[in-house]
Structure formats: C-alpha cells, structure tokens
Amino acid sequence: MSGQARSLWKLAGAVMLVVIAVWFIGSRYRHFHQGGENETQVWFYDEQKRQSYAVARDTIPPDGHGVRAVLVAFRGEENDPTKRRVAYLETYRQPLKDAMEQAKSARLRGKSLKQPPISRESDLFRTNDLVKRADETEWYVAGSQEGRKVMTDWRAWRSPDGREPVVCMP
C-alpha cells in the first residue's frame, strides 16, 4: 500500500471517530435536555392513602393528594421498601406553585422567562415552601425555626444498633 493510500485510510479513520464522537455527544445532550429531569424521580406521599410513590422530579406539589416526601431508612436498609420512613413532607403555596408551573411550561416549550429562575433563596420560595411531619397536620414555612427543625429532626434517629438514617431515592 502506498504512502498516500495509507494517509487516506488514517484520515478516513480519524473522520469516522470524530463523527461517532459528535453523534454520541449530541445524543447525550438531547437526552439530558429533552427528558433528563423527567427521568429522575423523587418521592411523593398521598396523605389520604398514607402511601409513598415515585414521580418525575419536575412534578410540582401539591399534585392531587400528593406532596413531596423525603423518605429515609437506616444505612444498609435503604433498598428495602418496608424499612423506609417518611422524614418529612413538603408542599408549596399557590403563588410559588404557579410561578414554578409557569417556568416549567416555558422550559418545556423551549422558551425563556422574562424574569430570572426561581431560587431557593428568593423571597417567593422562602415564604411559600412549607414542610411538616407525616403524622402532624400543621405546615410550617421551611425557613422558619420550626420548619428547619422538621427538616432536620430525622438526622438524630438511630436504629437499635446505632446506624444512621440515609435518604432513599426511588
């Protein structure tokens, strides 16, 4: 094989590798932007049925009878559904829910909002994000002293043999 033919084969191989790399990166990018958040799941909790279930991460609470739930189990038991406990529940007041649904709708349509994205540090979020324990009826603003207590109390739970709780993912 001549030197020129060998160079052409090398060039063709390099071009083929570049095409494959671009295709792979493009498919990963499309996967992330089209369905990435919908494929990630979080726990919700139906307060009437007293039952947890998995939903798409971008589901905005309240959703029917369901609110977002943080489920925990003691280390080593997180894959056993019978060992999971609700650490706390979270929901949003209507102004925050409306703003988040508007942002989600714009994102799904490929549009951008005129205002910046909603941040957990914003006044809208801090005053409309509510939490409570599953066995209680009163909701607390998440940023309040009682709200922060609700969101952290579970960290002190221990199994009989001293294991710490860990957050369970669907």
Side-chain angles (χ1 to χ4, degrees), residues 5 31-32 38 43-44 59 64-65 69 80 105 108 122 126 132 151 154 161 170:
H31 170 77
F32 176 75
N38 285 336
W43 291 112
F44 262 52
T59 303
H65 299 291
D80 182 349
S105 176
L108 292 173
S122 70
R126 287 184 303 146
K132 75 171 189 161
M151 293 188 298
W154 64 272
D161 61 354

Side-chain angles (χ1 to χ4, degrees), residues 73-78 163-166:
F74 294 113
R75 192 169 304 282
E77 299 177 337
E78 54 267 38
R163 287 176 291 147
E164 297 176 347
V166 293

Side-chain angles (χ1 to χ4, degrees), residues 33-51:
H33 283 288
Q34 288 177 348
E37 245 188 35
N38 285 336
E39 292 175 15
T40 303
Q41 294 189 316
V42 295
W43 291 112
F44 262 52
Y45 185 78
D46 185 319
E47 293 188 276
Q48 288 185 343
K49 295 179 182 175
R50 301 186 64 76
Q51 181 177 344

Side-chain angles (χ1 to χ4, degrees), residues 18-162:
V18 168
V19 168
I20 291 170
V22 168
W23 173 80
F24 179 76
I25 291 169
S27 67
R28 301 306 302 166
Y29 178 82
R30 224 178 7 265
H31 170 77
F32 176 75
H33 283 288
Q34 288 177 348
E37 245 188 35
N38 285 336
E39 292 175 15
T40 303
Q41 294 189 316
V42 295
W43 291 112
F44 262 52
Y45 185 78
D46 185 319
E47 293 188 276
Q48 288 185 343
K49 295 179 182 175
R50 301 186 64 76
Q51 181 177 344
S52 59
Y53 56 97
V55 297
R57 180 179 179 269
D58 64 353
T59 303
I60 301 166
D63 185 49
H65 299 291
V67 293
R68 185 161 290 152
V70 174
L71 271 58
V72 298
F74 294 113
R75 192 169 304 282
E77 299 177 337
E78 54 267 38
N79 293 325
D80 182 349
T82 64
K83 303 290 184 172
R84 295 180 188 141
R85 294 173 55 185
V86 176
Y88 65 91
L89 304 174
E90 179 180 28
T91 194
Y92 303 141
R93 288 184 179 146
Q94 202 60 47
L96 179 57
K97 181 176 171 76
D98 290 346
M100 293 184 81
E101 285 177 342
Q102 188 178 29
K104 176 182 172 182
S105 176
R107 182 178 45 81
L108 292 173
R109 290 191 324 268
K111 307 271 184 188
S112 62
L113 290 174
K114 306 216 183 320
Q115 65 269 14
I118 301 165
S119 161
R120 282 198 168 269
E121 288 77 37
S122 70
D123 285 338
L124 178 65
F125 206 100
R126 287 184 303 146
T127 58
N128 292 287
D129 182 21
L130 306 174
V131 295
K132 75 171 189 161
R133 294 172 189 89
D135 58 348
E136 294 180 356
T137 57
E138 189 171 349
W139 290 91
Y140 302 97
V141 173
S144 70
Q145 184 175 351
E146 187 60 32
R148 287 190 300 274
K149 187 172 175 0
V150 166
M151 293 188 298
T152 57
D153 278 351
W154 64 272
R155 294 177 189 270
W157 298 347
R158 295 294 178 264
S159 68
D161 61 354

